[in-house]
Amino acid sequence: MAEPVYAPDHLDKVINLAKRRGFIFPSAEIYGGFRSTYDYGPLGVNMLRNVKNAWWSAMVQRRQDVVGLDAAILSPPAIWAASGHLETFTDPLVDCKKCHERWREDKIDGVCPQCGSREFTEARAFNLMFKTQAGPVEGDGATAYLRPETAQGMFTNFANVLQTTRKKPPFGIAQIGKSFRNEITPGNFVFRTREFEQMEMEYFVPPAEAEEWYHYWIATRFAWYLDLGIPEDFLRQHVHAKEDLSHYSRGTTDVEFFYPWGWDELEGIANRGDYDLTQHSTHSGVRLEYFDQASGERYTPYVIEPAAGATRAMMAFLLAAYHEDEVGGETRALLRLDWRLAPYQVAVLPLSKKPELEGLATRVVDLLGAEYVVDTDVTQSIGKRYRRQDEVGTPYCVTVDFDSLEDDAVTVRDRDTTDQVRVPLAGLLTYLRDQTGRA
Ligand code: GAP
């Protein structure tokens, strides 16, 4: 399949739109910004929540074999000693001998991106975990880490979840939450940041079934992005070579997305074997096994892990959705977002500020508000208001006009086609449910 083609300024336009329309702001901007951290604005928080809800719906809510968890972010060194992160969660750090800038050796092809020099110090292993202290007394006993992945919470709670839910393999524990990595070179907007959100699921299986479930989850996760509107030519699978595998992995396949800088990781699906449960069992002294009463067999389950980034996925959805086309002889920018991801799903637009129209518009907002995220906008011409909604991806605009007062009907406009249809108010919810495929 041919690779998609981006306009040269595609990324800049998306970053600009994200800032201008309240999706994503540089953090601490009034103080000059803070090291590749970002804040999610009124529209961004809606969209990010929609991404997470879509994941939770597919991975937990609509499955009987997966349960949820929300574990602590602050964690003791013991967890990270057992997981292998204290020893191996490192990137190779080099200093440029000319300009003294620090880089991740495996990302720069031997040339300093700042000054062009080819002379570097020897690479040293730089641990990516943020270390802090818990409580008012300093010292070894107070050391804590901000988790660099959500996964370990699922392993350390394996026995708790088994006991409280009576699940048996194959079953999964899922979690969405913040993770922190002291990345040497964060960048490309929210693609790689030091504080980000992950959506991870640890799926515990009988060892003999691991290979089958590994392939099941690769296919299932790939299909999730397609279902939410990422075109097929923007996605591919990348199987990691044996020598590139993480310390815990017996096999990893990435779902890759075609970013403006090329193919790069969106999500990783790994077969972690029995590495994690065995490590935590050895280090904690607590048995982390499954006892199958029917067969009398006791075993350590293998783990298949689909690990996605919520903030990175949101960026991919934005990049794939941004389009420009021509309407009425003018260029318009639009986000062709799936309605489930759009920050606003319907905009209700009274044609004028006359109290009768605004009153009717309020009734329409109340009618739709229980099922859809609704925005209203009364300022400027209707054409300008349509453009503003197109630009933030609102799939439907409902216009309330003077005829509405007579015929109890409204005009529904489709974002992508700009087609308009007159719909009776009594049938509006049914019409939108049909359009969005909402049962
Ligand atoms: N538990 C396995 C794990 O954490 P990973 O490949 O390091 O695996 C999973 O991370 C996903 O988390 C990535 O595919 C990516 O979407 C997201 N992610 C990782 N590091 C990130 C960062 N610095 N900024 C934004 N997202 C990140």
Side-chain angles (χ1 to χ4, degrees):
M1 203 178 295
E3 278 174 0
V5 179
Y6 283 110
D9 54 357
H10 190 92
L11 181 59
D12 288 342
K13 281 187 166 162
V14 170
I15 295 173
N16 180 293
L17 186 153
K19 164 90 199 295
R20 190 162 40 77
R21 298 303 310 273
F23 284 80
I24 302 175
F25 306 125
S27 196
E29 200 182 10
I30 60 168
Y31 294 104
F34 181 65
R35 296 172 175 255
S36 288
T37 52
Y38 291 91
D39 298 338
Y40 289 72
L43 273 70
V45 81
N46 279 6
M47 182 173 170
L48 185 58
R49 188 157 297 181
N50 292 341
V51 171
K52 292 186 281 185
N53 285 347
W55 188 89
W56 195 262
S57 165
M59 299 295 280
V60 184
Q61 197 179 321
R62 303 181 81 165
R63 300 188 66 104
Q64 290 304 304
D65 57 347
V66 181
V67 292
L69 183 79
D70 195 349
I73 288 172
L74 281 176
S75 38
I79 290 185
W80 308 107
S83 70
H85 282 76
L86 275 181
E87 204 176 321
T88 57
F89 196 57
T90 58
D91 277 335
L93 176 71
V94 290
D95 295 26
C96 170
K97 284 190 173 168
K98 195 165 161 211
C99 72
H100 306 294
E101 195 60 46
R102 289 184 161 175
W103 304 104
R104 210 176 120 175
E105 188 189 33
D106 55 332
K107 294 280 177 196
I108 55 170
D109 286 331
V111 183
C112 176
Q114 182 154 286
C115 73
S117 163
R118 289 176 179 273
E119 284 199 65
F120 295 95
T121 56
E122 280 293 308
R124 54 205 185 281
F126 175 74
N127 196 293
L128 300 184
M129 284 198 293
F130 279 100
K131 194 174 179 178
T132 184
Q133 103 188 30
V137 183
E138 283 186 41
D140 277 354
T143 300
Y145 290 92
L146 302 189
R147 65 180 178 198
E149 61 172 19
T150 61
Q152 298 305 320
M154 272 83 91
F155 303 129
T156 54
N157 281 290
F158 174 76
N160 283 336
V161 173
L162 261 192
Q163 277 155 21
T164 52
T165 65
R166 302 182 146 269
K167 292 282 173 209
K168 56 181 202 177
F171 82 99
I173 310 177
Q175 175 167 210
I176 297 176
K178 290 231 171 174
S179 294
F180 301 82
R181 296 182 190 179
N182 197 4
E183 300 280 2
I184 296 170
T185 40
N188 282 330
F189 196 35
V190 296
F191 175 81
R192 182 173 286 108
T193 47
R194 296 195 170 106
E195 173 178 346
F196 55 97
E197 258 186 297
Q198 287 188 307
M199 313 185 283
E200 297 196 290
M201 198 268 284
E202 310 303 323
Y203 200 70
F204 301 94
V205 302
E209 296 175 20
E211 194 61 17
E212 189 188 322
W213 284 111
Y214 173 55
H215 292 288
Y216 166 87
W217 282 111
I218 294 167
T220 304
R221 294 302 306 146
F222 195 84
W224 185 79
Y225 293 99
L226 290 175
D227 177 54
L228 285 168
I230 296 199
E232 214 174 337
D233 55 341
F234 279 81
L235 293 172
R236 74 174 188 189
Q237 293 175 17
H238 166 72
V239 182
H240 284 221
K242 277 237 157 5
E243 59 272 21
D244 296 336
L245 292 177
S246 311
H247 60 279
Y248 52 74
S249 176
R250 291 168 179 240
T252 299
T253 299
D254 287 345
V255 174
E256 289 192 336
F257 178 81
F258 191 76
Y259 298 88
W261 58 91
W263 291 103
D264 217 332
E265 180 179 339
L266 184 53
E267 162 162 1
I269 297 102
N271 176 355
R272 299 178 71 122
D274 60 1
Y275 176 83
D276 306 277
L277 290 183
T278 304
Q279 285 290 106
H280 283 300
S281 212
T282 310
H283 281 248
S284 68
V286 176
R287 259 188 172 183
L288 299 174
E289 296 169 328
Y290 177 71
F291 177 64
D292 188 340
Q293 283 186 331
S295 67
E297 196 194 353
R298 183 182 290 282
Y299 65 89
T300 304
Y302 275 24
V303 171
I304 308 302
E305 175 195 66
T311 38
R312 189 178 288 186
M314 173 169 159
M315 178 176 175
F317 285 120
L318 283 174
L319 286 168
Y322 183 85
H323 283 87
E324 289 176 6
D325 63 7
E326 215 173 271
V327 172
E330 279 181 28
T331 304
R332 99 176 151 145
L334 77 160
L335 291 179
R336 287 202 190 121
L337 289 171
D338 184 281
W339 72 273
R340 290 166 289 180
L341 301 181
Y344 293 120
Q345 295 161 334
V346 187
V348 176
L349 312 173
L351 200 61
S352 93
K353 287 185 182 166
K354 289 256 161 30
E356 313 88 278
L357 286 195
E358 292 214 50
L360 183 53
T362 305
R363 266 178 53 208
V364 177
V365 171
D366 290 342
L367 172 76
L368 303 179
E371 288 190 31
Y372 295 100
V373 186
V374 181
D375 185 30
T376 48
D377 186 0
V378 291
T379 55
Q380 294 189 303
S381 74
I382 195 72
K384 286 214 170 104
R385 283 186 267 167
Y386 283 154
R387 293 293 172 280
R388 279 207 292 269
Q389 296 295 337
D390 292 342
E391 198 184 40
V392 297
T394 313
Y396 303 100
C397 287
V398 173
T399 306
V400 178
D401 56 26
F402 288 101
D403 289 342
S404 306
L405 299 172
E406 307 299 323
D407 65 1
D408 252 350
V410 289
T411 301
V412 181
R413 173 185 175 274
D414 180 285
R415 174 197 68 205
D416 297 341
T417 61
T418 72
D419 288 347
Q420 302 190 9
V421 287
R422 196 81 183 157
V423 179
L425 266 180
L428 181 59
L429 211 41
T430 312
Y431 176 84
L432 288 173
R433 283 182 191 144
D434 280 351
Q435 294 293 308
T436 53
R438 179 173 235 162

